Amino acid sequence: MASPAVATRHPSPSFFGPDPRRRRGHSPSNLGFRRSGLQLKVTAIFGWIKGDTRTRELNTSAESYTLTGSASEADTKPREVSVAVVSSIMDIPSADWDACSVDSVDPDNFNPFLTHAFLSSLEESGSAVKETGWLPLHVVARDENETVVGVVPLYLKSHSRGEFVFDQSWAEAYYSYGLEYYPKLQSCVPFTPVTGQRILVRDTPYRDQVFEALVKELKSLTTKLKVSSLHITFPSEGEFSKLKDSEFLQRIGMQYHWRNRDYRSFDEFLMDLKQPKRKNIRQERKKIPAQNLKMKRLRGDEIKSEHWDTFYKFYRNTTDNHWGRPYLTREFFHRLGEKMGDKVMLIVAEHDDKHVAGALNLIGGDTLFGRLWGCLPDAYFPNLHFEACYYQAIEAAIELNLSKVEAGAQGEHKIQRGYLPVTTYSCHYFLDPGFGAAIGNYLAHETAQVKHVIKVLHDSGPYKEDILNEFLLTQGDGV
């Protein structure tokens, strides 16, 4: 049996800067950086009430880690891996990033949100950048041959928006004690509540050791920047388990996913539902053609520039009426279409030859990911949201032989339409041990409540009892 992987860090020069966590001020909104030699100068407005601009210099010269302890490499010399921080994903070649984003456990489980194409679209379009409170500080590990062996999507955040794991109450608790919660470090895919790897490691014989080195570097970076905390949101279940041993607090949440039982048609799926639920869905779907609506599923080159301009109008109508803040720019959608090709599916609704609503989806290795929905301001068509976001997605997954549909965050109304609750994960590391302990106690109670809610909602699902039991056996409690 292989011995446990060990990664030993050789400290880099000290990080200097005042510790602002004991000050009060207003919530920061501007984050910036500039390169000066080997130094990445991070400028942030720290504070909640008055605040003042502080500058912190993070030495970005690579830290060296010696990887030892792998029995499979007993006859070779210890490997050296250098870990550094870059201020843009464009500093990492796309081929290297994507080689790390492949799931080594399940290579066919392609996650489009972890690709260089998706993440660079967020940065290049001005959506996830310093001006919006998302300062990229991606972590990259290279071996002795300068081969990229691991990366971590990481951002210095001045707020908690666009994360879908809600920690505003933690920020208020910090503030009430005269401490500052922002800025914080966040490893995630911005604006995207989709589970996937966060510590992205190339498939090598020593990948477990690289994983450990990257986790150590994340914690070291948290200390160097003197931020309140480090958050890894929507990691894989495997990462969730591993990070527990690295002093991360564990939190669970809930989403609603549809699962494909090798259905050959939508009607075959309906036959797995209880009769009243089956009847309700059929009635909802009949209302679409009755309102003179036509549904189309567009992919790749079928999606033209004018489609993205129209969808951006839909998106802005949704954000203006519900979210209050548009996270994504018009340019993001155009870049996404250009870079992601047929991995993008745009479901559109037409009325009198005019596009009136749409739903954006991305296609993974075995999953259809539903992301955004919107319509024209004056569009009112009962049940169109259900058709565009849920039923069309199910039909597409059946047609493409995909295993599941992830319909995004929140929404108990999804249950009666075939989507069942599943567990999501997040991991949290706090520099202040007192607050860490207090939040840990809170999470213990919250976890019990979330597990109970998942069970209750699962048991009330629309499926026949034998199908529900089958899902329960194959999924377990997910924790």
Side-chain angles (χ1 to χ4, degrees):
M1 179 180 296
S3 58
V6 176
T8 304
R9 181 168 64 90
H10 306 302
S12 66
S14 299
F15 164 75
F16 299 96
D19 184 351
R21 290 182 298 147
R22 296 283 173 183
R23 294 178 49 83
R24 291 187 178 181
H26 68 270
S27 181
S29 58
N30 296 318
L31 292 172
F33 67 85
R34 66 181 177 85
R35 283 192 174 277
S36 176
L38 291 176
Q39 300 241 325
L40 179 69
K41 182 164 287 190
V42 179
T43 303
I45 297 178
F46 298 93
W48 279 67
I49 300 176
K50 296 182 179 178
D52 58 284
T53 301
R54 296 294 184 100
T55 298
R56 302 173 178 196
E57 291 186 354
L58 171 63
N59 191 310
T60 57
S61 56
E63 299 221 20
S64 176
Y65 290 81
T66 301
L67 308 183
T68 61
S70 174
S72 62
E73 296 187 293
D75 297 329
T76 64
K77 66 177 183 180
R79 293 182 177 272
E80 292 287 330
V81 170
S82 61
V83 184
V85 175
V86 297
S87 59
S88 171
I89 194 172
M90 303 309 296
D91 292 338
I92 305 173
S94 59
D96 288 338
W97 182 284
D98 290 341
C100 295
S101 71
V102 174
D103 189 338
S104 60
V105 177
D106 184 6
D108 294 330
N109 188 22
F110 169 72
N111 188 323
F113 302 100
L114 297 175
T115 62
H116 193 279
F118 186 86
L119 293 168
S120 63
S121 294
L122 289 171
E123 290 187 22
E124 292 177 317
S125 67
S127 300
V129 292
K130 57 184 173 61
E131 291 81 3
T132 61
W134 292 81
L135 175 63
L137 291 178
H138 306 307
V139 180
V140 55
R142 294 180 172 88
D143 67 11
E144 305 98 318
N145 300 316
E146 289 299 306
T147 300
V148 175
V149 293
V151 292
V152 181
L154 185 68
Y155 303 85
L156 185 65
K157 291 289 306 294
S158 61
H159 52 72
S160 292
R161 296 187 293 272
E163 297 171 4
F164 299 93
V165 176
F166 304 104
D167 62 353
Q168 288 86 347
S169 62
W170 300 352
E172 289 294 335
Y174 264 68
Y175 168 67
S176 68
Y177 277 85
L179 302 176
E180 301 213 1
Y181 191 68
Y182 303 109
K184 62 177 183 174
L185 287 173
Q186 190 89 16
S187 175
C188 66
V189 178
F191 324 118
T192 307
V194 171
T195 294
Q197 304 286 334
R198 294 295 177 261
I199 316 297
L200 310 179
V201 181
R202 189 187 289 260
D203 189 13
T204 66
Y206 49 95
R207 59 179 177 267
D208 290 343
Q209 298 165 283
V210 175
F211 180 95
E212 183 179 335
L214 286 169
V215 172
K216 286 187 175 182
E217 182 63 21
L218 288 173
K219 293 171 65 176
S220 174
L221 188 59
T222 305
T223 301
K224 289 176 183 178
L225 281 174
K226 298 187 174 81
V227 295
S228 67
S229 49
L230 162 67
H231 308 265
I232 301 176
T233 47
F234 296 97
S236 67
E237 185 177 1
E239 289 175 319
F240 181 74
S241 298
K242 288 181 180 179
L243 290 169
K244 183 178 181 180
D245 297 328
S246 297
E247 301 178 294
F248 281 81
L249 300 179
Q250 295 187 300
R251 190 179 195 183
I252 64 171
M254 179 176 61
Q255 285 184 352
Y256 302 94
H257 298 175
W258 176 86
R259 294 173 60 184
N260 190 354
R261 298 183 66 250
D262 296 324
Y263 299 119
R264 291 170 292 182
S265 67
F266 192 89
D267 282 338
E268 190 171 312
F269 149 65
L270 289 180
M271 294 310 297
D272 276 353
L273 305 184
K274 300 170 185 175
Q275 194 278 334
K277 308 302 181 185
R278 183 165 63 243
K279 179 181 178 181
N280 181 67
I281 291 176
R282 283 176 172 158
Q283 289 176 337
E284 288 183 343
R285 301 206 74 185
K286 286 180 180 178
K287 293 179 181 179
I288 301 306
Q291 298 175 90
N292 195 29
L293 289 165
K294 295 180 181 178
M295 307 301 301
K296 293 183 179 179
R297 296 195 290 267
L298 308 177
R299 289 184 63 186
D301 294 340
E302 296 175 323
I303 307 174
K304 309 301 182 182
S305 178
E306 54 267 28
H307 288 116
W308 289 124
D309 288 336
T310 301
F311 185 77
Y312 184 70
K313 294 179 182 178
F314 300 160
Y315 168 72
R316 286 302 304 266
N317 182 48
T318 300
T319 58
D320 292 347
N321 288 324
H322 299 287
W323 301 348
R325 180 181 295 271
Y327 298 134
L328 303 170
T329 65
R330 183 192 300 268
E331 184 182 352
F332 166 76
F333 296 103
H334 286 275
R335 288 185 178 272
L336 182 71
E338 293 170 2
K339 292 188 175 189
M340 301 296 289
D342 64 359
K343 297 301 181 184
V344 179
M345 175 181 289
L346 188 62
I347 298 171
V348 295
E350 290 184 355
H351 184 263
D352 293 338
D353 297 322
K354 178 182 180 181
H355 291 142
V356 296
L360 175 62
N361 301 262
L362 267 67
I363 302 171
D366 66 348
T367 304
L368 183 68
F369 299 95
R371 287 302 304 118
L372 299 169
W373 144 268
C375 63
L376 292 177
D378 58 349
Y380 176 72
F381 299 96
N383 300 302
L384 177 54
H385 175 258
F386 301 145
E387 177 67 28
C389 295
Y390 309 138
Y391 303 145
Q392 286 290 322
I394 289 173
E395 280 194 343
I398 293 172
E399 178 183 301
L400 297 172
N401 196 31
L402 299 175
S403 299
K404 60 181 177 176
V405 177
E406 295 192 15
Q410 305 173 342
E412 292 182 12
H413 57 276
K414 298 171 185 174
I415 297 174
Q416 303 310 316
R417 293 167 178 86
Y419 293 74
L420 292 178
V422 298
T423 304
T424 59
Y425 310 96
S426 62
C427 302
H428 310 269
Y429 174 73
F430 295 89
L431 283 188
D432 189 303
F435 267 92
I439 292 173
N441 290 333
Y442 164 79
L443 291 179
H445 294 287
E446 183 189 63
T447 296
Q449 293 175 341
V450 173
K451 288 182 177 181
H452 175 71
V453 170
I454 289 176
K455 183 180 186 307
V456 170
L457 292 177
H458 187 281
D459 292 346
S460 66
Y463 292 90
K464 297 173 182 176
E465 186 174 354
D466 59 327
I467 305 299
L468 276 177
N469 290 335
E470 177 187 317
F471 284 154
L472 193 61
L473 287 173
T474 55
Q475 178 181 312
D477 63 7
V479 179

